[in-house]
Amino acid sequence: MTAANVFMRDLRERDAQRIERREFVATVSHELRTPLTSVKMYADMLGEGDAGELTDQQVRLVDNLRTTVDRLTRMVDDLNVVSLIEAGRFNLQSASLDMDEVVVSAVDISEPTFAEREIRIRIVHADEPVFVNADRERMLQVVANLLNNAAKYAESGSETVVAISVENGQVKVEVTDSGPGISSEDLTAVFESFYRSKSARMSRVPGSGLGLSIARGLVEAHGGKIWAASTEGAGSTFTFTLPLAPG
């Protein structure tokens, strides 16, 4: 009985911590959105010359400010998505869509990031139709997040492969990179919110620790599964599956 009571107490404490963290994240994302919107508006006004003509150096500084504000805005958006997913209040606008087309679009969006690091992207298309009932924008976000993760860790000059296939009534999407790999200890936690592996911290790769967590939340919200496999020193593969659309 004592062990059972301790176990139940630990569960209640963990639930309370999750709720407290979720409320904190929701509050922070809400409070940051308004000032960031104002900063972006003022930066745009400066860039458009509303306060007078700018020198070349001032133009560069304003452009840097805009880039920073856009990055912070994306982080706030990610925080908001995490809080909604964890609260179970995430609404999906599902429709029949072609996952092959979604992957191609995500690769097009991510191409500049890969090109900057001289990393090639190769798509292996499915041999048959791969239609699912899903929210297109959210599935695009899932694939883009996985590609962004690969772009951060893949070796310069290497190749990242995105493979689409069908197995047992499921659409499977795999993103394989040639990065440093993930230790077995870190592999069990990479989809946790705000988690960053030891190798990521040591290599000073930038990131909020939210991309993979959001990917997991969105995939699971669609009734799918997501996981990772890796060998240290030989790269990683992130895989998710979704049920095929009926018919």
Side-chain angles (χ1 to χ4, degrees):
M1 288 298 295
T2 301
N5 288 337
V6 170
F7 176 72
M8 293 303 297
R9 184 190 65 193
D10 288 344
L11 281 180
R12 287 192 296 268
E13 289 178 353
R14 284 198 291 271
D15 286 341
Q17 289 172 355
R18 281 195 292 268
I19 293 172
E20 183 178 350
R21 186 186 70 176
R22 185 177 69 224
E23 292 177 349
F24 173 77
V25 168
T27 299
V28 168
S29 63
H30 176 75
E31 293 298 326
L32 285 177
R33 190 175 299 278
T34 299
L36 277 174
T37 301
S38 297
V39 172
K40 180 173 176 56
M41 180 183 69
Y42 294 141
D44 289 341
M45 291 173 63
L46 287 172
E48 292 167 3
D50 289 0
E53 188 174 352
L54 303 179
T55 65
D56 290 343
Q57 182 181 15
Q58 289 170 333
V59 169
R60 287 194 296 273
L61 291 174
V62 170
D63 287 343
N64 288 338
L65 175 60
R66 283 169 158 172
T67 300
T68 300
V69 171
D70 287 343
R71 181 169 61 84
L72 290 173
T73 300
R74 287 193 296 271
M75 290 177 64
V76 169
D77 290 341
D78 284 348
L79 285 171
N80 185 54
V81 171
V82 167
S83 66
L84 290 174
I85 289 174
E86 292 187 350
R89 300 200 307 269
F90 199 81
N91 294 320
L92 299 172
Q93 304 297 321
S94 295
S96 178
L97 58 89
D98 183 353
M99 275 304 300
D100 195 282
E101 183 274 330
V102 171
V103 168
V104 171
S105 296
V107 168
D108 287 342
I109 292 170
S110 305
E111 183 69 44
T113 304
F114 282 87
E116 185 178 333
R117 298 202 57 223
E118 299 181 344
I119 301 170
R120 301 179 303 279
I121 309 179
R122 179 165 59 90
I123 301 176
V124 179
H125 298 279
D127 295 327
E128 56 187 292
V130 282
F131 285 90
V132 298
N133 287 324
D135 186 317
R136 184 184 186 281
E137 290 306 310
R138 294 309 179 184
M139 294 317 303
L140 186 64
Q141 186 175 11
V142 169
V143 181
N145 282 6
L146 296 182
L147 288 172
N148 183 57
N149 185 72
K152 287 180 181 179
Y153 297 102
E155 296 289 339
S156 179
S158 66
E159 180 179 69
T160 291
V161 179
V162 188
I164 313 152
S165 59
V166 175
E167 289 185 12
N168 301 319
Q170 304 278 315
V171 176
K172 177 190 284 188
V173 179
E174 299 172 288
V175 178
T176 302
D177 64 58
S178 58
I182 307 169
S183 69
S184 57
E185 177 184 354
D186 287 325
L187 201 59
T188 60
V190 291
F191 292 104
E192 297 297 325
S193 298
F194 306 106
Y195 184 83
R196 305 207 66 217
S197 67
K198 182 179 178 181
S199 60
R201 296 192 301 271
M202 292 181 64
S203 61
R204 300 186 182 276
V205 173
S208 62
L210 293 175
L212 294 179
S213 171
I214 289 173
R216 179 183 67 177
L218 294 177
V219 168
E220 291 180 350
H222 283 85
K225 296 180 180 180
I226 188 169
W227 66 92
S230 182
T231 301
E232 288 190 80
S236 305
T237 297
F238 287 82
T239 305
F240 71 88
T241 58
L242 294 173
L244 279 169

